[in-house]
């Protein structure tokens, strides 16, 4: 009889254990007790078959059945760290933080930090746009194309110079080429530079050959040039000589009269500078 009772007890215990579902029940003191459902926590486990459960508070969650008396905390999504604020987060599942536009986080670190998206610079184009969990991928513009703005989706082709126009400034990865009518400015500068170089080379060769005696002026030409220079120098430094001037007698001839003739009939002339004429006795030239 005693053996039969023992067997019945073992069968009953095995039945209860086998009937205690693992996800929704738990065993306690040989009994199969109920768990609290998702989004709830067990307040007090005083009643195994009908436990008292309470909803998780804001910022908490419980994703499955539990016999725990505390709920899990939702992650803190701080807007100051470039996270988007959580509006009414779920109480039955984990609500991961999300980064604001222009930032991303990786799933490997459960989105604990936000990283700024890469900005494609002028001269590049966007190959793959970023997402909340991936960065932006950039690529340099190919030769003959350019982009001028940040995060350009495409690179544009350089402009082509039409008939009658030539290239003024070459294009680059971040700027278009420009065209002007006629010869470009830089072409004129190159032409002027080449001309000056040719003239300078010719002058240098002439001076070098002249010093070596290849170019000499004829002796006669040198004498003429030298003589002319000497005369110019002498003329410049020659003192001015006052030429003597002859005294010109502007007096009117006097007709011979008895009053201005001597006894022998000679003309009596008055000397310049004398105010009066003093008569003298004429000597006899025949004596």
């Amino acid at each position: 009889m005693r053996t039969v009772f023992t067997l019945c007890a073992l069968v009953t215990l095995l039945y209860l254990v086998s009937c205690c579902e693992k996800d929704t029940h738990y065993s306690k003191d040989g009994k199969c007790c109920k768990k609290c459902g998702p989004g709830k926590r067990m307040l007090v486990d005083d009643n195994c078959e009908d436990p008292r459960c309470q909803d998780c508070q804001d910022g908490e969650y419980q994703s499955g059945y539990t016999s725990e008396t505390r709920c899990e905390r939702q992650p803190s999504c701080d807007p100051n760290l470039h996270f988007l604020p959580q509006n009414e987060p779920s109480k039955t599942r984990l609500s991961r933080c999300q980064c604001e536009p222009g930032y991303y986080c990786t799933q490997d670190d459960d989105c604990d930090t936000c990283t700024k998206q890469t900005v494609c610079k002028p001269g590049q184009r966007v190959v793959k746009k970023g997402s909340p969990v991936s960065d932006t991928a950039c690529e340099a513009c190919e030769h003959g194309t350019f982009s001028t703005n940040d995060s350009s989706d495409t690179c544009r082709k350089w402009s082509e110079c039409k008939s009658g126009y030539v290239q003024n400034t070459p294009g680059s990865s971040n700027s278009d080429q420009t065209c002007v009518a006629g010869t470009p400015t830089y072409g004129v500068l190159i032409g002027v530079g080449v001309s000056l170089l040719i003239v300078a080379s010719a002058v240098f060769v002439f001076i070098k050959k002249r010093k070596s005696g290849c170019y000499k002026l004829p002796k006669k030409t040198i004498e003429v040039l030298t003589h002319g220079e000497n005369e110019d120098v002498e003329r410049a430094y020659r003192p001015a000589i006052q030429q003597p001037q002859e005294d010109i007698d502007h007096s009117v001839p006097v007709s011979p009269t008895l009053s201005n003739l001597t006894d022998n009939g000679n003309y009596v002339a008055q000397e310049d500078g004398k105010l009066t004429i003093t008569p003298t006795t004429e000597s006899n030239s025949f004596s």
Side-chain angles (χ1 to χ4, degrees), residues 20-21 30 55 71 79 84 97 117 154 158 166 177 183 186 188 198 205 229 243 250:
C20 189
E21 188 176 354
D55 292 338
C71 296
L84 291 174
C97 295
Q117 293 274 3
T154 59
W158 293 343
V166 293
Q177 71 174 355
T183 304
Y186 71 89
V188 174
I198 294 174
V205 172
E229 292 177 356
Q243 297 294 334
H250 297 284

Side-chain angles (χ1 to χ4, degrees), residues 1 118 132 136 165 198 231 259:
M1 189 72 180
T118 299
T136 302
Y165 288 81
I198 294 174
E231 286 184 352
S259 62

Side-chain angles (χ1 to χ4, degrees), residues 37-52:
K40 297 179 181 296
R41 68 183 181 88
M42 189 170 289
L43 187 60
V44 180
D45 58 351
D46 54 352
N47 190 343
C48 177
E49 296 180 357
D50 188 17
R52 288 184 293 174

Side-chain angles (χ1 to χ4, degrees), residues 6 40 49 58 71 74 132 147 165 184 251 265 271 275:
T6 303
K40 297 179 181 296
E49 296 180 357
D58 293 340
C71 296
Q74 290 281 12
S147 65
Y165 288 81
S251 60
E271 294 180 0
L275 299 178

Side-chain angles (χ1 to χ4, degrees), residues 134 143 225:
S134 63
H143 180 71
L225 295 175

Side-chain angles (χ1 to χ4, degrees), residues 144 146 156-162 167 176-179:
F146 73 102
R156 295 179 293 169
K157 290 185 178 181
W158 293 343
S159 300
E160 295 183 359
C161 295
K162 297 180 181 179
Q167 185 189 73
D176 192 8
Q177 71 174 355
T178 59
C179 305

